[in-house]
Each structure stands twice: as C-alpha cells, then as structure tokens.
Amino acid sequence: MGDLYAPDRQQLEEDNQESSSSSDPLKQETSEPPSLFHSAPHPSHSGQSSAPKNSSTQPSEPLPPHPYDNLQQKQKKRKQKAVTDFDMDKMRSTLKQFSRDWSVEGAAEREVCYKPMLDALLYHFSDVPEQDRVNIRVLVPGAGLARLAWEAAKLGFACQGNEFSHFMLLASYFVLNRTERINQHTIYPYVHSFSNAPSTSHFLRPISFPDVLPADLPENSDFSLVAGDFVEVYGVTDEDEAKERNNDDHGGYGKESQEGKWNAVLTCFFIDTAKDIIEYLNIIHRVLVPGGVWINLGPLLWHYENNNTGDLSIEITLEDVKLLSKKIGFEIYASNLLLPSSYSR
C-alpha cells in the first residue's frame, strides 16, 4: 500500500526482517481483531528449522539453531542507541495523544477540531448517497494516531491516513490492531510533568482508551494507514512514475503517481510542519481530482523556524498562504480565523 522511507525505512525493515524470521515462543493462540493498519510489505523469511533425522541422544550432526536463538544473537550484536531528550519528549507527547484522540477526556478537543472538518466534508459531498461514499477517496496527511482518518472512514468514505513519526505509527498500530473492547487500555499520560499541577491527583489521573471500538466500521469499509514522508509518498508525479518504470535499478521500491487520485484532503495541525509550504500546497493541489476539496484546520506555528539543524524553512503569513493557494489553482470558499481550539492540553 505504501512505503517506509529513510531514515525510518531502514530501521523498520531491519526490525521487520528479524521478527518475521523468528517463531515467538510467547505468542498466544488467541483471535485478533481485523487489522486496520497497512504499510509496505517486507521480504518474508521462512526461518524454519527441521527436526533431526535420528532420535539418538548423540545425533550424528549438530542440531540446527532455533530461529529465536538467532534473533537473540542479532539483538545482542545490534548497537544500542542512546535514548535522547527528543525521544522522551516525543514519548510524552504520544501518550497525551492517546488521551486527545481516543479517550472520553479528549472528546471536547475532538469536537472543536475534527467535527468542523468532518461537517465540511459531508457538506461538500452532500449529493453523494451514504452507500456510495466508499467511492470518495479521502487523504489525511499527518494522521497522528489516526482518529480523524478513522472518523472519516466511519462515515463511509474510503480514507487513507499518512504518518511519518515512529512514535505515532507504533501507537496507532497498537490502538487500531490490539484492541478488542472499549476502554481496554489504561495509561497515566500526565505523570511525566509536574508543572501547573493543582494536586497530586491531577498528574496521577488515569486515562482509559479507546472510547470506541476501532473495528466498528461500516461493512466493506476502506480504511488504511501509510507510513512515509508526505512529500516522498504523495509528491510522486506521472512523469516520476514513468521514469521509475523504465528504470530497473530502483531496489524494489517503485514510485506510484498520486496525481488526481484523491477527492478530498484533510489537514489538521499539519501544514505548519512543512519545510517548504509551497511544495506542500503544490502536492495537495496535484493529488486532488478536478473539483476535489482541501479542508484545513490549524495554526501556522512553523516547526522549522529558527532550527539549528540547517534545514530549509519557509515561513509565510496566512494571507500569503491564501494568495499562494489561489495562484496554484485553489478557490477559497470559506475561511474562519476565530476558531478556538487546544492541543493535547
């Protein structure tokens, strides 16, 4: 369905290859809910050891190693990466995102952020019968823990979320594919911060999730997540795909054009993650079919402004974003500058 892109791709592929070549002795034979998470397939490995041909206590040949032993050896050889402050900050943010996206406590924030976007989506396609919404393809870049994308799929649309962050990908996979009942999981997302706490109970309060069953989607629904960088995955043009098709030396990662493949794009707290906002706008416009709709909500808190990594960063005003959007080919039908919202408070 999608691809895993560097630098995340290499590490995820190593993990996938190692885990796919082992037999997990702790695996429980229990039924699992249907998988809602889709990403690029990785090479499969049989990794099965054969039983010795003779049952003597002194076999003529050494017993082959068990695949799990091989996995343990690889893990010992792998260089242990130090946990950085950045990693810890992302971990804390992801835990709070569980609260925002998948708990009862986050309902008020979702009502402010997601509901207006979903209402606008329904309004734009109000002439499409509910049973035919599955033919309307909706893209959600920067999907995070995928609640907005899930809500669009719940309404009957064919929806695909896109996310690059390791932390968000692992967390969304967990909630979508490892949940069998409502409020099955409990965490303490605020225990890592002691600031502005009126009492001990404030930062020790538990959060249970999910408040809905992720598998509770319409019959024949089309819902997926793709791991990878938004620009690299959805910035592929018809010309890029043609060149890739003629190039046999692409390492198995073919490019698939996304031009005109989507009826709607929903961006929530996303466009300010751009290093080059002009590139984002061009891609969003290019992936939409003629007459498609882009629905956006969020601030312009440019993530790479004043960065110390040497990354390119283009910061412009909302007025300029609108001007550029029109020049690229968008028509602006509605704009609300006074929509109050909070983010993982």
Side-chain angles (χ1 to χ4, degrees):
M1 177 65 82
D3 200 358
L4 306 178
Y5 289 86
D8 286 350
R9 179 177 66 192
Q10 181 179 359
Q11 185 62 57
L12 285 179
E13 284 182 345
E14 290 176 0
D15 294 341
N16 287 339
Q17 288 173 359
E18 292 177 358
S19 62
S20 64
S21 64
S22 66
S23 300
D24 188 351
L26 301 179
K27 183 176 180 180
Q28 299 178 359
E29 295 183 358
T30 57
S31 60
E32 296 182 353
S35 175
L36 303 177
F37 184 97
H38 303 276
S39 62
H42 56 268
S44 59
H45 304 269
S46 59
Q48 295 179 353
S49 60
S50 57
K53 294 183 179 179
N54 86 57
S55 58
S56 169
T57 56
Q58 298 293 331
S60 58
E61 296 180 2
L63 292 175
H66 191 280
Y68 188 68
D69 296 330
N70 187 40
L71 175 62
Q72 287 181 317
Q73 292 174 2
K74 286 185 178 181
Q75 289 174 336
K76 289 179 180 178
K77 291 180 180 179
R78 178 185 292 175
K79 183 179 180 181
Q80 183 68 35
K81 294 182 179 179
V83 177
T84 66
D85 290 339
F86 175 83
D87 294 330
M88 294 302 297
D89 183 63
K90 286 294 184 181
M91 181 274 295
R92 289 188 288 265
S93 175
T94 302
L95 289 177
K96 292 178 182 177
Q97 198 76 2
F98 276 120
S99 175
R100 180 179 189 259
D101 265 17
W102 292 101
S103 75
V104 172
E105 287 80 0
E109 292 188 55
R110 297 194 299 272
E111 182 76 11
V112 172
C113 295
Y114 297 164
K115 189 176 185 303
M117 302 184 73
L118 296 169
D119 287 346
L121 182 66
L122 289 170
Y123 177 80
H124 187 81
F125 295 103
S126 58
D127 59 331
V128 178
E130 184 174 353
Q131 64 271 19
D132 294 335
R133 288 177 188 166
V134 72
N135 299 317
I136 304 298
R137 304 190 71 212
V138 179
L139 175 63
V140 183
L145 296 195
R147 182 61 182 262
L148 177 59
W150 184 88
E151 292 287 357
K154 178 71 173 175
L155 291 173
F157 296 98
C159 189
Q160 182 173 103
N162 165 239
E163 181 55 54
F164 182 72
S165 166
H166 254 144
F167 298 87
M168 295 296 179
L169 288 169
L170 291 171
S172 60
Y173 177 86
F174 175 76
V175 70
L176 292 173
N177 297 317
R178 293 295 180 264
T179 299
E180 297 178 345
R181 64 181 185 277
I182 292 175
N183 289 333
Q184 178 178 347
H185 314 290
T186 300
I187 58 175
Y188 296 80
Y190 307 107
V191 73
H192 304 282
S193 176
F194 299 92
S195 299
N196 298 319
S199 65
T200 303
S201 61
H202 179 81
F203 56 80
L204 290 179
R205 68 188 188 276
I207 297 294
S208 296
F209 68 93
D211 62 325
V212 293
L213 191 62
D216 185 19
L217 289 173
E219 187 177 359
N220 300 322
S221 62
D222 185 354
F223 173 44
S224 62
L225 289 178
V226 170
D229 178 79
F230 171 68
V231 173
E232 293 191 42
V233 177
Y234 299 95
V236 179
T237 64
D238 292 340
E239 183 180 356
D240 294 331
E241 183 178 348
K243 289 180 179 178
E244 192 74 8
R245 193 181 299 115
N246 295 327
N247 180 11
D248 294 330
D249 188 25
H250 54 63
Y253 295 98
K255 296 180 179 179
E256 181 180 349
S257 173
Q258 297 294 315
E259 287 193 40
K261 297 290 183 68
W262 302 93
N263 302 95
V265 176
L266 308 184
T267 53
C268 184
F269 288 82
F270 174 72
I271 64 171
D272 57 355
T273 66
K275 297 179 181 179
D276 182 353
I277 182 59
I278 302 172
E279 184 176 37
Y280 267 31
L281 295 176
N282 273 310
I283 292 174
I284 292 171
H285 185 266
R286 190 163 57 236
V287 301
L288 285 168
V289 300
V293 61
W294 170 33
I295 302 170
N296 176 68
L297 184 145
L300 294 181
L301 186 64
W302 302 108
H303 287 209
Y304 290 91
E305 183 177 13
N306 300 323
N307 70 80
N308 57 7
T309 58
D311 287 298
L312 166 74
S313 181
I314 298 176
E315 303 98 22
I316 59 178
T317 66
L318 177 60
E319 196 173 84
D320 290 332
V321 171
K322 290 182 178 181
L323 181 62
L324 279 171
S325 299
K326 291 179 180 178
K327 287 185 177 294
I328 288 171
F330 284 106
E331 295 181 16
I332 299 177
Y333 288 100
S335 178
N336 185 353
L337 300 179
L338 302 176
L339 187 64
S341 65
S342 58
Y343 193 87
S344 293
R345 57 189 175 194

